[in-house]
Amino acid sequence: MTTSLQELLVGWITGQRWFAGKGRAIDDLAVDTLTELDPGDPALVHALVSVRQGERTTQYQIPLGLRAQVPDRLKHVLIGSCDWQGRRMCAYDAAHDASLTSRLLNGMDSELRVRRLGFHRVPGTSIDTSQRSLVLTAEQSNTSLVYGDMYILKLFRQITPGINPELEVITALAGAGSAHVARPYGWIEAELDGEATTLAIMQEYLSNANEGWTMALTSVRDLYATAQGTPAEDAGGDFAAEAFRLGTATAEVHAELAEAFPTGVIEPPEIKRMTERFRRRLEKAVVEVPALAGHAHVAYEAFDRLADLDQEIPVQRVHGDYHLGQVMRTPADWVVLDFEGEPGQPLADRRALDSPLRDVAGMLRSFEYAARHLLAGHPRADSLERRAQEWAARNRAAFLAGYSETGGRIRGQDAVFLRALELTKAVYEVVYEARNRPSWLPIPLSAFS
Ligand SMILES: Nc1ncnc2c1ncn2[C@@H]1O[C@H](COP(=O)(O)OP(=O)(O)O)[C@@H](O)[C@H]1O
Ligand SMILES: O=P(O)(O)O[C@H]1O[C@H](CO)[C@@H](O[C@H]2O[C@H](CO)[C@@H](O)[C@H](O)[C@H]2O)[C@H](O)[C@H]1O
């Protein structure tokens, strides 16, 4: 008896780290499209599949490799053997096969079109098609391929109909000459139900850059290792000057976004509606994570003060999920990655105009995360708590100073708004950690004091 591709995928997909429906049974997996990009041996076939789990159906993208025999180097990504065009073939995840992923580079360079799949090159760029890819090993909700040390191609695994905000934003900002985005080179899209949908984006790979999160943690470790009583500024590895520069870069990115996209203001009645949304999110979070219940009053009080706010709030396109893991320090400056908004939200919400203070709040929360995440299980956790507070306070202040001194707006009753935004972000984080990293839950819970 032969196994169909569909049956193989049901067994395989639940074990993939990008599979969003872990822990829930699959009711149905439908292969929506199979697009042959290369008929050779190995063959490259682009698959879109829909997975139904209860009420929810999620579409995923899988680049499939097909070979008569799979070499040892690809055995770890084998899906199984199935009948393909009358032959028995081994199917595997083609993202890991450099001889197949080079076709994606060629496709973008030559602006290939195969049925509903379109490959695009950013006008004015050329693509070096000789580069070979490796899969980035970072724990990710997508799969990123690094070609040589030149390009990084992010293959979205979960497919949301429409143009990805990341593509829209980096194309506009790079086109306007921003120093704070990695240059885009190309993208792949599909026409799904008549709507152009982004499947992958290729950008300049910042080979000589450090991730903000890693840099911040190095600084926190240095402070923890310094004798109590030594001021943070005298400990090795102080991060405050970098936090200030990051504030500056953030204000510049916000100014560039305001220039490139529409802007607006929201008035007090809309602020009240926004407060209602914050309250509903909190209510739902308490149901999902009962540990939040005892802390929720702190957020409700902040939301009550926000509802009474009597000023206009300027809105524009923003990053939407801004934290230290989304910024990289090159020798020249800070570069911002991943303008996709909060994962899991509908595309329309992720593209909606919002307050730039939402990003400021996200980064402030990230300083708290960096300061506290090494405390869990630390033998001196109690005595280091003061150090954590000191590190977070110092870097928050430096970031805010850099932001406002470069024209980022924080004035009037903005402190009330910022506090509510930080707490609504902490609510999101409580749910995120409960689902993904339960041992990190104390970090966002500590925001409610
Ligand atoms: N242009 C780039 N240059 C170098 N590294 C990058 C680049 N883009 C992403 N990365 C690395 O990949 C990681 C994940 O990228 P990101 O875009 O945030 O993916 P995801 O949306 O899956 O979290 C980043 O934290 C960074 O380490
Ligand atoms: O980078 P993603 O777009 O996948 O964002 C998600 O994962 C983040 C975790 O990597 C999560 O960020 C939270 O943890 C960070 C430390 O790992 C911390 O710096 C952030 O402040 C905190 O929110 C993010 O919320 C989530 O959307």
Side-chain angles (χ1 to χ4, degrees):
M1 201 183 83
T2 55
T3 313
S4 70
L5 181 60
Q6 184 258 357
E7 285 167 317
L8 280 183
L9 291 174
V10 172
W12 172 80
I13 202 166
T14 49
Q16 304 312 301
R17 64 175 147 193
W18 41 262
F19 180 63
K22 292 204 181 68
R24 283 179 283 127
I26 293 184
D27 297 318
D28 184 44
L29 182 149
V31 178
D32 301 326
T33 61
L34 286 175
T35 310
E36 198 171 66
L37 294 173
D38 194 319
D41 183 2
L44 177 62
V45 176
H46 180 272
L48 285 172
V49 303
S50 287
V51 178
R52 185 165 60 77
Q53 296 178 283
E55 303 280 277
R56 199 179 308 165
T57 298
T58 308
Q59 195 172 43
Y60 295 93
Q61 157 173 234
I62 308 167
L64 285 174
L66 291 148
R67 292 174 180 253
Q69 298 268 309
V70 166
D72 283 349
R73 69 184 169 82
L74 291 171
K75 291 237 158 91
H76 69 294
V77 290
L78 182 66
I79 301 175
S81 65
C82 62
D83 276 345
W84 178 256
Q85 297 178 341
R87 288 180 63 199
R88 191 117 192 103
M89 297 289 266
C90 296
Y92 60 97
D93 186 349
H96 295 258
D97 187 351
S99 61
L100 288 179
T101 56
S102 61
R103 320 283 163 92
L104 305 178
L105 273 193
N106 283 310
M108 282 183 278
D109 188 48
S110 60
E111 306 228 282
L112 176 72
R113 180 153 199 101
V114 187
R115 293 166 50 200
R116 292 198 187 135
L117 284 193
F119 291 71
H120 301 268
R121 181 166 36 80
V122 170
T125 60
S126 64
I127 295 175
D128 176 355
T129 55
S130 68
Q131 300 295 323
R132 306 270 294 175
S133 75
L134 282 173
V135 175
L136 204 74
T137 52
E139 185 73 34
Q140 270 189 285
S141 39
N142 300 298
T143 299
S144 291
L145 308 180
V146 176
Y147 287 91
D149 62 357
M150 288 192 80
Y151 312 120
I152 179 163
L153 177 76
K154 180 149 77 170
L155 278 173
F156 297 108
R157 289 298 191 158
Q158 211 174 312
I159 301 304
T160 314
I163 302 288
N164 191 286
E166 162 93 333
L167 179 61
E168 210 179 15
V169 168
I170 57 171
T171 310
L173 296 199
S178 172
H180 301 297
V181 292
R183 183 176 180 200
Y185 279 91
W187 72 98
I188 307 173
E189 68 184 28
E191 202 187 300
L192 300 179
D193 297 329
E195 193 173 5
T197 295
T198 315
L199 299 177
I201 301 175
M202 189 166 82
Q203 281 181 278
E204 161 194 9
Y205 180 64
L206 306 168
S207 56
N208 204 5
N210 292 311
E211 217 187 89
W213 173 251
T214 314
M215 289 173 68
L217 286 196
T218 306
S219 163
V220 173
R221 275 196 198 94
D222 280 350
L223 186 60
Y224 281 6
T226 310
Q228 295 285 350
T230 310
E233 57 270 37
D234 296 338
D238 184 24
F239 190 69
E242 285 302 343
F244 183 92
R245 283 189 77 111
L246 183 57
T248 297
T250 306
E252 284 169 358
V253 167
H254 282 157
E256 289 163 2
L257 286 168
E259 188 66 33
F261 295 97
T263 58
V265 287
I266 59 173
E267 310 277 351
E270 179 52 31
I271 297 175
K272 287 200 167 40
R273 284 192 285 277
M274 178 171 64
T275 313
E276 276 316 306
R277 289 196 293 276
F278 289 2
R279 288 196 183 109
R280 279 198 299 277
R281 177 179 256 198
L282 174 55
E283 281 159 19
K284 281 172 73 180
V286 169
V287 172
E288 184 170 342
V289 190
L292 180 59
H295 305 264
H297 66 279
V298 176
Y300 280 122
E301 281 158 25
F303 297 162
D304 288 347
R305 281 196 292 278
L306 176 62
D308 290 340
L309 206 71
D310 187 25
Q311 68 176 37
E312 287 179 339
I313 294 179
V315 288
Q316 59 165 88
R317 289 294 291 269
V318 300
H319 183 283
D321 187 23
Y322 203 46
H323 58 79
L324 285 162
Q326 311 279 39
V327 289
M328 295 194 83
R329 180 71 159 94
T330 69
D333 213 330
W334 283 100
V335 171
V336 179
L337 306 173
D338 207 9
F339 288 83
E340 272 187 80
E342 252 174 34
Q345 301 300 317
L347 220 55
D349 292 5
R350 286 154 52 180
R351 296 177 66 224
L353 303 192
D354 204 336
S355 165
L357 290 182
R358 189 178 287 276
D359 291 343
V360 172
M363 195 53 79
L364 295 179
R365 291 284 317 128
S366 207
F367 288 127
E368 299 287 345
Y369 257 78
R372 292 172 178 281
H373 117 280
L374 299 170
L375 288 180
H378 197 292
R380 291 189 292 121
D382 285 347
S383 62
L384 290 176
E385 171 70 31
R386 291 245 338 237
R387 280 304 212 192
Q389 283 173 14
E390 196 184 349
W391 191 93
R394 179 169 170 74
N395 288 289
R396 287 167 63 103
F399 175 77
L400 289 172
Y403 186 75
S404 45
E405 284 176 32
T406 317
R409 185 196 120 139
I410 304 181
R411 70 169 114 94
Q413 298 164 298
D414 281 345
V416 171
F417 187 31
L418 200 49
R419 167 93 176 136
L421 286 171
E422 268 201 75
L423 286 168
T424 202
K425 182 72 185 178
V427 170
Y428 165 84
E429 290 168 344
V430 164
V431 174
Y432 180 88
E433 301 304 353
R435 285 182 192 169
N436 296 291
R437 308 180 288 200
S439 66
W440 290 45
L441 194 53
I443 304 178
L445 283 179
S446 70
F448 300 86
S449 57

